[in-house]
Amino acid sequence: MAKTNNYPIVLVHGFLCWGSESKINQFFPCFGMWNGNAREAIMEEGVQCFTPHVGPFNSMWDRACILYAMIKGGRVDFGKAHSEKNGHARYGRTYPGYVKNWGELDEAGKIQKISIVGHSFGGPTVRTLIHLLAEGSAEERAATPAGELSPLFEGGKEKWIHSCTTLAATHNGVTLPDAGRPLVKPMATVLHTVGRMTSGTWFQKLYDFNMDQWGFVSRDTKGNKQAAKEAVRTLVNKTNDNIYWELSTEGAMESMKDYKTYDNIYYFSYGGKRTKTHGPIELPTKDMWLPLRLFSIFECFYKDPTHPKEWRPNDGLVNVPASKAPIGAPQTDFVSNEDSKPGVWNIMPLEWKDHTSYMAVGEDKETYHNYMKEIANRAMSLPVIE
């Protein structure tokens, strides 16, 4: 494949996971784990690659705002209207920027673009970023005084993205939160309490919750602790701005109902499966990573009127129909790089993988590196649409 561009590639992690700013990534890269580092492999192809840490438990809006600041540089702005509506601080951390000239014109008058890859909940994250770049936010524009509006909420920036690739993404939500609905709030309470208790400690450096906007900043004062406790209560009872809601089938469809595809962006979706049909039931196979099998069984046996048996096959966490492409979006089966068109979700053939295969768990190192390099090389070979 001949190169048409050298745009930086950004790999975005999903729920529970981490990026390079969290120290755990030094020992176990989220994209590579103990089987090498996908970022380093992609850079061998002569392109910049970044793996930002946008927080394991942030909502897709908050993640998109963090992601924007990390790529472009500057202070995270979650939006005046959004922050007031959801009860958290408006501003977050300040970042130097991976690609400071992102969206600017080069000497030839061409826009500096990026290609972006999202795994799992990283899929809704990158789609939210694209949505905000393209459409901005009318609510933020109306609520924010002149001179204070973040460029992210202005809109008109869809040309900043060259390609969008998702790996086992939760495009249409997953049935696991639906099946385990009574357990969601208790689990969320435990996770966020850990985040509150470890904020400002050595553990935060190792595994950073990156939820400063919710008061998960320091344990130095009683006031901070009390505010963080209140934030935990608020978080677990929310529907909007809540990752657990956005992971559910109802929450995903509601949260992303207005998202569009754009004619200058190439879209690709990968999805896996490691369950098999045994008579009337679906069950995980023995080569699914062991910790995923219990979650897989929940999805295999979950039934409701809106999710027929086609939703039972899964990769351990994500149902096969959830990862293919957003429901209602233009889509087609992938044929070849040459036949791939922008503005349409190109659905890759279903793979015999579980959810963590895309993080290299259980994968051969060389095979995994070549797999990620292929994704990068495709992005670098697609015709650029200005």
Side-chain angles (χ1 to χ4, degrees):
M1 296 183 285
K3 270 192 179 183
T4 61
N5 70 87
N6 207 39
Y7 298 138
I9 294 172
V10 181
L11 308 179
V12 182
H13 67 81
F15 176 69
L16 275 177
C17 294
W18 55 88
S20 56
E21 287 76 15
S22 209
K23 282 194 175 181
I24 190 174
N25 202 72
Q26 297 176 13
F27 310 103
F28 301 106
C30 186
F31 290 93
M33 297 301 284
W34 45 85
N35 283 322
N37 190 319
R39 175 175 178 260
E40 294 176 357
I42 288 173
M43 289 194 295
E44 290 175 0
E45 301 302 292
V47 64
Q48 289 182 300
C49 182
F50 305 98
T51 53
H53 181 80
V54 293
F57 307 110
N58 280 317
S59 69
M60 60 191 193
W61 175 289
D62 290 1
R63 286 166 137 249
C65 294
I66 294 170
L67 183 56
Y68 174 80
M70 296 187 80
I71 299 171
K72 182 67 175 172
R75 190 179 186 186
V76 179
D77 185 346
F78 297 105
K80 185 176 186 297
H82 174 86
S83 301
E84 290 176 355
K85 177 181 178 181
N86 292 288
H88 62 66
R90 175 177 173 182
Y91 295 104
R93 303 176 189 179
T94 299
Y95 296 97
Y98 297 141
V99 188
K100 293 182 180 180
N101 64 335
W102 183 32
E104 299 174 12
L105 300 180
D106 61 19
E107 295 178 354
K110 304 294 185 181
I111 298 174
Q112 172 62 57
K113 299 172 182 272
I114 64 169
S115 286
I116 197 159
V117 180
H119 172 242
S120 190
F121 195 67
T125 303
V126 300
R127 288 178 58 208
T128 301
L129 176 65
I130 292 171
H131 172 75
L132 289 174
L133 288 171
E135 307 296 333
S137 169
E139 192 175 8
E140 294 299 336
R141 292 192 290 268
T144 310
E148 285 188 19
L149 184 70
S150 166
L152 178 60
F153 306 130
E154 293 173 350
K157 298 178 177 63
E158 62 271 18
K159 291 184 178 180
W160 289 25
I161 302 292
H162 175 57
S163 69
C164 169
T165 303
T166 60
L167 311 174
T170 60
H171 288 303
N172 305 308
V174 295
T175 58
L176 185 59
D178 303 350
R181 190 171 288 112
L183 302 175
V184 172
K185 285 188 179 181
M187 181 192 74
T189 300
V190 170
L191 291 172
H192 291 309
T193 299
V194 171
R196 173 182 63 80
M197 293 175 64
T198 58
S199 61
T201 70
W202 64 268
F203 186 83
Q204 184 180 21
K205 295 179 181 179
L206 180 67
Y207 183 74
D208 188 358
F209 277 64
N210 199 353
M211 300 182 78
D212 298 12
Q213 73 275 25
W214 291 103
F216 294 11
V217 180
S218 172
R219 302 181 68 227
D220 293 340
T221 68
K222 183 177 180 181
N224 282 339
K225 289 182 181 180
Q226 187 59 37
K229 285 182 179 179
E230 292 299 324
V232 169
R233 293 192 190 99
T234 301
L235 272 165
V236 299
N237 288 299
K238 289 176 66 63
T239 52
N240 297 318
D241 207 31
N242 183 320
I243 188 172
Y244 311 99
W245 164 248
E246 293 164 352
L247 280 167
S248 71
T249 55
E250 183 181 359
M253 298 304 295
E254 175 63 25
S255 302
M256 295 182 278
K257 64 183 179 182
D258 296 325
Y259 290 11
K260 304 174 184 176
T261 57
Y262 298 94
D263 290 342
N264 64 287
I265 301 175
Y266 296 89
Y267 298 86
F268 300 90
S269 68
Y270 289 76
K273 168 192 169 183
R274 271 194 180 157
T275 60
K276 283 191 174 181
T277 303
H278 299 269
I281 62 173
E282 191 82 14
L283 289 173
T285 57
K286 292 182 179 179
D287 53 350
M288 179 181 286
W289 192 42
L290 183 59
L292 296 179
R293 293 182 199 173
L294 177 61
F295 302 121
S296 176
I297 289 171
F298 267 95
E299 294 185 332
C300 286
F301 284 88
Y302 180 69
K303 299 178 182 178
D304 75 8
T306 60
H307 295 91
K309 63 181 181 180
E310 287 77 15
W311 276 75
R312 295 175 196 167
N314 62 78
D315 67 4
L317 290 176
V318 175
N319 312 81
V320 169
S323 65
K324 285 188 174 180
I327 292 173
Q331 54 191 268
T332 186
D333 291 335
F334 174 81
V335 177
S336 68
N337 293 333
E338 293 74 20
D339 291 319
S340 299
K341 305 297 181 185
V344 176
W345 281 93
N346 294 275
I347 303 174
M348 307 302 289
L350 188 65
E351 303 177 293
W352 189 253
K353 292 180 181 291
D354 67 35
H355 198 67
T356 56
S357 298
Y358 298 96
M359 300 162 64
V361 175
E363 297 292 300
D364 172 76
K365 178 179 178 179
E366 183 177 358
T367 301
Y368 179 71
H369 280 189
N370 288 338
Y371 182 88
M372 297 302 289
K373 286 180 179 181
E374 181 181 336
I375 291 172
N377 283 318
R378 176 179 299 111
M380 291 188 287
S381 68
L382 294 166
V384 174
I385 302 173
E386 296 293 342

